[in-house]
Amino acid sequence: MTQTYQPQINNPTQTKKWLHWLPTFGWLPFALAINSFIIPPGTALAYWGRWIGLIVLLVYGLNKVFISGKWERNNFDRFAFLVFTVIIISTAYADINGVLYAADFYQTGIFKAVSFLLAYLSLTWGVQSVLNSFDDATAIIKNLVYSATVIYTVGLIGNALRVIPILMGAPSGIFFNPNATAALGIVILPLSIWFSSRQKHWGILRFLPTLTIFTAIIISGARTPLVALSILLLYYLICWSRYKGTEMLMIYGIATIAISTLLILSVDFLQSSLFEKLYDNLTTSTGAGITSYRTNLLWPLFIEKIFSSPISILIGNGWGSEEALLLHKSAQSIFFESLWVGTAHNAYLGLTYQIGLIGSFLTFLPLWSVVFYQIQQSSGYINKEHFEFRLALGAALLAELCLCFFESGFYNIGSVHALPGWLVAYMAVKLPYLQTDCKY
């Protein structure tokens, strides 16, 4: 018998509309400071001011949820407790003469751990304090989409008018790095698609967020989001086909055939300069592709260090040791210094190096299980609105997990896409707890 899932809300606590902006307000300073032209980097305002929104969200949640004794813990909190326990053990066990302490330990270890803890508390206290119903969840995501759309619209117009300079060879909007533009975009894109499907009263304008964000992703020239897009397409295909059966399978099948036909009919594509540039970018060590410095240098380095000892394999080398290792290497080698890299460019390797396989599994396996759980439950929903929203959250989380193969920003709260990624992860886990009765 097919299981059906229909969440029902019984007398949810009403949340004031302006409070739905708090999660977005917690993220915006991080997006605008350090990463963008809006708040210039290298200033005290940028460095310390980026914490204002998160602290406001945290303090509000502390008063509303924790002090009042209304804090409700779920699986997200249980795994977070285990991860932070591993962080403490790993960092405390790190060799006092090791690479972690060779760099500025307070910058690479303590500060990063405290920022990660504050981000978690802002979710489990702050977001929980304004997340009392399904309507609250949709309102929070809508506000996130609104803000992202404004950011990308301003960026695209600024690049087009040459008001905002292009620094790294491709239009990146208000951000310095095109990779940051594309990474944030690929996380927000599934949410904007959901937004477009729900705001039908906007008419054709409801597609503006999706078109704006998609355009920014494409013109940024980043390659990782294109890989994520193909995986997201497969995710949507599987979920919708399970939900709607052969009807959606046919739609996606026709779309795939149409796209393939266009590629086949492209005039001399395989012999064009466009193809040659694409191939070179993916295969040369100077590019950012599959044989770049990531796979040739950084990834082998971190894999070697991870397997250097049983302790390193199990609990890693301490929180912040990823950046500390590269700082240490830069001090020893002019070549490493010239690369100017501070991460492993792979969150799975970077996190494993810091807190071992135990910490990495405790972090990523639950997050991947949320995505696979959404796929599994797709055939059981009888409420289309709930299905589409959960689908969007799962897709945004999947996009973030795909970025983790080439970026280490997921656990670096200063990264522009980190907080949105954690927000959708927390909401995807928290959403079922908002319902008092669930029918299966």
Side-chain angles (χ1 to χ4, degrees):
M1 180 180 295
T2 303
Q3 292 182 329
T4 58
Y5 175 76
Q6 183 183 26
Q8 298 176 349
I9 303 172
N10 294 339
N11 301 321
T13 303
Q14 295 296 320
T15 302
K16 295 180 180 179
K17 290 184 177 181
W18 68 270
L19 292 174
H20 294 146
W21 283 97
L22 282 182
T24 299
F25 180 65
W27 161 70
L28 275 177
F30 282 96
L32 301 179
I34 307 297
N35 297 293
S36 76
F37 294 94
I38 305 300
I39 303 178
T43 63
L45 175 62
Y47 190 79
W48 296 109
R50 57 184 174 157
W51 294 95
I52 292 176
L54 203 65
I55 291 175
V56 170
L57 177 61
L58 174 58
V59 171
Y60 179 82
L62 175 68
N63 178 64
K64 193 76 173 178
V65 172
F66 184 74
I67 295 179
S68 63
K70 297 179 180 179
W71 183 22
E72 297 178 357
R73 291 168 289 279
N74 52 47
N75 287 334
F76 187 93
D77 302 289
R78 298 181 187 100
F79 279 102
F81 174 80
L82 294 174
V83 170
F84 280 111
T85 300
V86 176
I87 289 175
I88 293 172
I89 295 173
S90 175
T91 307
Y93 191 84
D95 182 6
I96 196 168
N97 297 314
V99 68
L100 181 59
Y101 293 86
D104 185 348
F105 176 65
Y106 289 100
Q107 177 69 25
T108 57
I110 299 297
F111 185 78
K112 287 181 177 294
V114 171
S115 66
F116 198 50
L117 176 63
L118 288 178
Y120 161 69
L121 293 177
S122 71
L123 292 173
T124 191
W125 292 347
V127 174
Q128 184 179 140
S129 66
V130 298
L131 186 59
N132 298 303
S133 69
F134 179 81
D135 290 338
D136 289 338
T138 58
I140 290 171
I141 294 301
K142 284 180 182 178
N143 292 339
L144 182 62
V145 173
Y146 290 144
S147 301
T149 302
V150 172
I151 287 174
Y152 280 103
T153 301
V154 171
L156 288 174
I157 295 175
N159 286 152
L161 299 178
R162 301 297 179 182
V163 176
I164 299 177
I166 298 174
L167 297 179
M168 300 184 68
S172 55
I174 69 169
F175 303 111
F176 295 115
N177 193 332
N179 290 328
T181 303
L184 175 62
I186 198 64
V187 174
I188 302 295
L189 184 63
L191 306 178
S192 70
I193 293 174
W194 164 81
F195 177 89
S196 300
S197 70
R198 304 311 304 176
Q199 302 295 109
K200 295 181 179 179
H201 58 282
W202 280 31
I204 196 172
L205 291 177
R206 64 194 170 111
F207 297 106
L208 179 63
T210 300
L211 291 175
T212 301
I213 294 172
F214 184 76
T215 300
I217 293 173
I218 296 301
I219 67 174
S220 71
R223 285 156 291 276
T224 301
L226 296 180
V227 176
L229 276 174
S230 63
I231 296 175
L232 286 178
L233 181 63
L234 180 62
Y235 168 80
Y236 277 107
L237 168 62
I238 295 173
C239 290
W240 271 106
S241 62
R242 287 177 62 84
Y243 179 70
K244 280 287 189 179
T246 57
E247 175 186 347
M248 290 306 300
L249 188 62
M250 291 176 61
I251 293 175
Y252 274 96
I254 293 173
T256 302
I257 293 173
I259 294 173
S260 300
T261 302
L262 289 175
L263 290 177
I264 293 174
L265 294 179
S266 296
V267 180
D268 294 329
F269 174 72
L270 296 178
Q271 299 177 358
S272 68
S273 59
L274 173 62
F275 176 80
E276 292 173 1
K277 291 179 180 179
L278 178 63
Y279 180 80
D280 288 341
N281 260 341
L282 289 175
T283 57
T284 61
S285 58
T286 57
I290 56 178
T291 59
S292 68
Y293 64 86
R294 291 190 184 102
T295 51
N296 284 337
L297 182 64
L298 294 180
W299 294 357
L301 170 65
F302 278 92
I303 292 173
E304 177 187 355
K305 295 297 182 180
I306 288 170
F307 289 96
S308 62
S309 71
I311 295 297
S312 177
I313 294 174
L314 293 176
I315 62 172
N317 298 273
W319 193 254
S321 57
E322 175 188 16
E323 181 179 348
L325 173 63
L326 294 174
L327 288 173
H328 184 62
K329 284 288 184 181
S330 296
Q332 294 180 325
S333 168
I334 297 177
F335 177 71
F336 261 97
E337 185 180 7
S338 66
L339 286 177
W340 202 52
V341 291
T343 69
H345 278 274
N346 183 304
Y348 300 99
L349 288 178
L351 196 65
T352 302
Y353 177 73
Q354 294 180 89
I355 55 177
L357 289 176
I358 295 176
S360 185
F361 284 156
L362 289 173
T363 301
F364 286 112
L365 284 182
L367 295 174
W368 277 104
S369 70
V370 172
V371 176
F372 286 111
Y373 180 78
Q374 172 58 35
I375 295 175
Q376 179 188 13
Q377 293 297 315
S378 295
S379 61
Y381 285 88
I382 61 178
N383 186 315
K384 185 179 180 182
E385 182 181 4
H386 286 87
F387 165 73
E388 290 182 343
F389 186 66
R390 293 291 298 272
L391 180 69
L393 294 178
L397 177 56
L398 175 60
E400 183 66 59
L401 292 172
C402 289
L403 289 176
C404 286
F405 284 104
F406 298 95
E407 300 287 345
S408 294
F410 192 39
Y411 45 81
N412 181 4
I413 305 305
S415 175
V416 68
H417 59 90
L419 285 175
W422 283 111
L423 176 63
V424 296
Y426 178 78
M427 292 181 66
V429 176
K430 179 66 177 175
L431 201 59
Y433 293 89
L434 300 179
Q435 335 303 338
T436 56
D437 295 314
C438 295
K439 294 183 179 180
Y440 291 88

